[in-house]
DNA sequence: ATGGAATGTCAACGCCCGTTGGCCTACAGT
DNA sequence: ACTGTAGGCCAACGGGCGTTGACATTCCAT
């Protein structure tokens, strides 16, 4: 294991400031200078520890969705469970919002987003959909609805979406996700 | 009426170049200089005709969704019709993709997006959903799925979504939109 | 034909960016 | 106690940006 470094606190401060700035400003407007200011250090420290701006973003956008195992629960609940989980994940911190913002304007961000959904959402769907060969497609359909909700609620802030309670969102979106996962292919 | 100006061709060239750049690069990376280069004129002409970068974006993002009237057709087809229409609209040109890109990183873009969906999608839903008072919420749910599809297909380019044919997308998303519009509130 | 407005070019401005390299400072291993 | 090294700051660089104002050209109404 790697031993603790004296600079660990600084590294963490940079990473936290970076996540917030990327989330609220997007890749271009989140400047290294502003991130350094938030972290209370010099911009050159960012370069020293993360190489360059792309490296910083790569480090700041490492994400674990921590999706639940869907295998053990009644098949007709997986939609609601999945929507609930994503909603909580999105409300807890703004890393995912940041990733969404950056994924839209930056190819590295888009690639990161593709990887996360392929590696973390894909496997979970494999166990619950009728034909495993169709798992990627069904996961992508789920992603389209989940990300659309995140986009309209946390980024574009369409008023009717913002005003809905989490319970209402689960009630509306749960059956949709459910159908994308388990229904016969149309 | 305003008479034709000698500079109309230049104005149009600027607008077309701006739409393409905003669509492919987003607001920040779409520079006035690159737009002027594409249009074959000097950057200062952009300032003369559109005031500043924000004015140029406002002019470049005027959009007519041209949504069909849903009142006249069988209630159980409105979902498929709506999805088909949006899909065609999105494939025809990249103005909507551009608006989506800009709406994510730029507050003016987000406001434009909110206005378009409120003014153009809202009224259409009013005629087909059970309780007119719920029309905005149902329109927003529809927007969440439609925009999520656009996001994953045209911006993030999730491979399984890109590979789907328009017919397959309509078959999967049509019932979802249908339910958001016409089903009983859960 | 001519004066003036419309159209367009050119060079420059001030600003902020990512990034670099040099220089102090303070700690840790010996 | 001494020294090497990691941590940190500072000043500067080259470059691209949005924007501006002075100047040249073209066209049209008179």
């Amino acid at each position: 294991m790697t031993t603790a470094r004296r600079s660990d606190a600084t590294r963490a401060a940079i990473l936290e400031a970076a996540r917030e700035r990327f989330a609220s400003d997007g890749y271009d407007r989140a400047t290294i200078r502003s991130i350094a200011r938030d972290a209370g250090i010099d911009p050159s420290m960012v370069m020293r520890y993360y190489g360059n701006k792309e490296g910083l973003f790569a480090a700041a956008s490492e994400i674990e969705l921590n999706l639940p195992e869907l295998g053990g629960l009644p098949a007709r609940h997986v939609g609601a469970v999945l929507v609930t989980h994503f909603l909580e994940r999105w409300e807890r911190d703004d890393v995912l919002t940041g990733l969404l913002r950056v994924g839209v304007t930056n190819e590295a961000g888009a690639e990161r987003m593709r990887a996360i959904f392929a590696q973390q959402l894909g496997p979970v769907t494999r166990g619950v959909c009728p034909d495993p060969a169709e798992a990627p497609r069904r996961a992508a359909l789920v992603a389209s609805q989940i990300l659309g909700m995140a986009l309209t609620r946390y980024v574009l802030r369409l008023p009717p979406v913002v005003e809905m309670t989490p319970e209402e969102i689960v009630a509306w979106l749960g059956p949709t996700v459910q159908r994308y996962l388990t229904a016969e292919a149309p």
Side-chain angles (χ1 to χ4, degrees), chain A:
Chain A
M1 74 169 264
T2 60
T3 168
R5 290 159 296 195
R6 259 191 304 147
S7 60
D8 281 348
T10 301
R11 294 176 126 93
I14 293 173
L15 223 46
E16 189 192 334
R19 281 199 244 262
E20 281 180 20
R21 282 285 176 178
F22 281 134
S24 64
D25 297 351
Y27 189 82
D28 291 312
R29 303 173 107 98
T31 68
I32 287 190
R33 290 166 131 100
S34 70
I35 291 168
R37 208 178 313 128
D38 290 354
I41 48 91
D42 189 88
S44 63
M45 301 305 295
V46 178
M47 310 303 294
R48 185 193 289 272
Y49 293 136
Y50 296 98
N52 54 27
K53 190 174 180 179
E54 276 200 29
L56 175 62
F57 171 71
S61 63
E62 277 176 8
I63 287 179
E64 284 297 326
L65 292 180
N66 291 321
L67 294 177
E69 273 299 328
L70 298 181
L73 46 84
R76 71 187 184 289
H77 287 163
V78 295
V81 168
L82 214 49
V83 174
T84 303
H85 181 87
F86 269 106
L87 220 44
E88 282 174 2
R89 188 64 177 76
W90 233 286
E91 304 260 354
R92 179 162 59 237
D93 60 52
D94 43 13
V95 181
L96 277 171
T97 304
L99 188 55
L100 182 52
R101 273 214 160 85
V102 176
V104 169
T105 46
N106 183 270
E107 178 51 29
E111 175 55 34
R112 176 63 61 113
M113 195 117 229
R114 284 192 290 267
I116 286 174
F117 275 78
Q119 293 164 9
Q120 302 194 40
L121 181 58
V124 169
T125 66
R126 197 169 303 269
V128 294
C129 72
D131 178 3
E134 274 202 322
R137 163 166 306 191
R138 288 166 182 273
L141 284 164
V142 172
S144 82
Q145 176 61 92
I146 298 282
L147 290 177
M149 171 53 61
L151 177 72
T152 51
R153 183 174 171 92
Y154 302 111
V155 178
L156 297 180
R157 298 192 180 281
L158 298 189
V161 179
V162 173
E163 286 158 13
M164 289 175 81
T165 67
E167 290 76 20
E168 289 170 326
I169 293 175
V170 171
W172 277 109
L173 263 57
T176 298
V177 171
Q178 183 73 34
R179 189 167 62 83
Y180 290 162
L181 285 175
T182 63
E184 289 289 314

